[in-house]
Amino acid sequence: MTTIEQRLRAVQARVAAAAKAAGRDPASVRLLAVSKTWPADAVREAAAAGQRAFGENYVQEGVAKVEALRGSMPKEGLDGPLEWHFIGPLQSNKTRPVANAFDWVHSIDRLKIAERLSAQRDVHLPPLNVCIQVNVSGEDSKSGVAPDEAAALAKAVAALPRLRLRGLMCIPEPTDDAALLRSRFALLRALKAELADEGLVLDTLSMGMSHDVEPAVAEGATMVRVGTAIFGERTRPAAQA
């Protein structure tokens, strides 16, 4: 068993244990392996261990990796094609390659980005799955729409063609305060419930990373984004797009 496979199994066990502790079915929580800054070979290694969904933060790197791995994965013993999620901040002049290379975008925080993704998504591709990023901690340095503006943005995005609004995403401030983290995740869960009351039923809460999987799952995460715990410590490149 490779190092990445060992780490992947450990993270899967963490997610399953957290779900069971919360009285949830472990199958209700998907694991997104965040492969940003890691080479295509690392993705191949995780895919060979059964991981299907991968997250990228940087447009140029992510698109290159998608293209490098498209059609190159061995089929025997693997469960379907790889699924690519863009989870980083997205500038309006970078939307076209993301619209057509990725299956999901988690980081929509303004209508202009969604409109460009909608207009640029190839009509021959399935609708692009998208999430609204919400700034649950109110940090000026964080991307995301303010919680009290999330409903209006979600309704506008849901009306766009070639997009499928799936849910909400957040990245709370880094902290060891589990109670604070749970309150941030609970806010996202409450927003999803409010949208449901207004007729916008979503199926995804994208929240939780390597250090806060457990409180995220306890508060209803349906997708956790884990990189370091699977691939190891990374060094961010000096410049990325």
Side-chain angles (χ1 to χ4, degrees), residues 157-180:
V157 171
L160 293 172
R162 293 192 289 280
L163 301 184
R164 182 186 175 194
L165 181 61
R166 298 292 298 269
L168 306 174
M169 184 268 260
C170 72
I171 307 174
E173 68 270 48
T175 177
D176 293 327
D177 186 337
L180 178 59

Side-chain angles (χ1 to χ4, degrees), residues 24 53 72 105-106 165 187 191 197-198 211 227 232:
R24 300 178 57 195
S72 69
V105 174
H106 291 230
L165 181 61
L187 172 57
L191 283 173
D197 289 341
E198 296 182 26
H211 67 286

Side-chain angles (χ1 to χ4, degrees), residues 27-198:
S28 67
V29 187
R30 295 189 65 198
L31 174 60
L32 179 62
V34 179
S35 48
K36 66 175 183 180
T37 78
W38 288 95
D41 283 347
V43 174
R44 286 192 181 94
E45 193 173 323
Q51 178 64 26
R52 308 262 44 88
F54 294 89
E56 293 288 328
N57 282 57
Y58 309 118
V59 176
Q60 185 175 352
E61 176 199 342
V63 170
K65 210 174 294 181
V66 172
E67 293 176 350
L69 291 167
R70 182 179 289 123
S72 69
M73 297 302 301
K75 295 181 174 57
E76 185 176 352
L78 295 183
D79 182 21
L82 301 187
E83 183 179 273
W84 292 96
H85 297 237
F86 190 81
I87 60 176
L90 185 55
Q91 300 172 356
S92 60
N93 64 343
K94 300 287 186 180
T95 53
R96 186 176 296 277
V98 170
N100 294 299
F102 285 82
D103 304 294
W104 285 68
V105 174
H106 291 230
S107 48
I108 291 179
D109 59 359
R110 57 196 188 279
L111 184 57
K112 180 180 179 181
I113 296 297
E115 290 174 334
R116 290 179 65 87
L117 290 169
S118 172
Q120 293 166 347
R121 180 73 168 179
D122 190 321
V123 296
H124 299 100
L125 293 173
L128 180 65
N129 299 293
V130 297
C131 293
I132 303 297
Q133 182 172 353
V134 182
N135 187 347
V136 294
S137 53
E139 298 170 273
D140 292 338
S141 60
K142 283 279 174 67
S143 299
V145 64
D148 61 356
E149 298 173 358
L153 178 58
K155 291 174 184 176
V157 171
L160 293 172
R162 293 192 289 280
L163 301 184
R164 182 186 175 194
L165 181 61
R166 298 292 298 269
L168 306 174
M169 184 268 260
C170 72
I171 307 174
E173 68 270 48
T175 177
D176 293 327
D177 186 337
L180 178 59
L181 285 170
R182 286 196 62 157
S183 73
R184 303 302 194 203
F185 295 137
L187 172 57
L188 201 71
R189 175 171 48 80
L191 283 173
K192 179 173 173 286
E194 290 174 14
L195 289 173
D197 289 341
E198 296 182 26

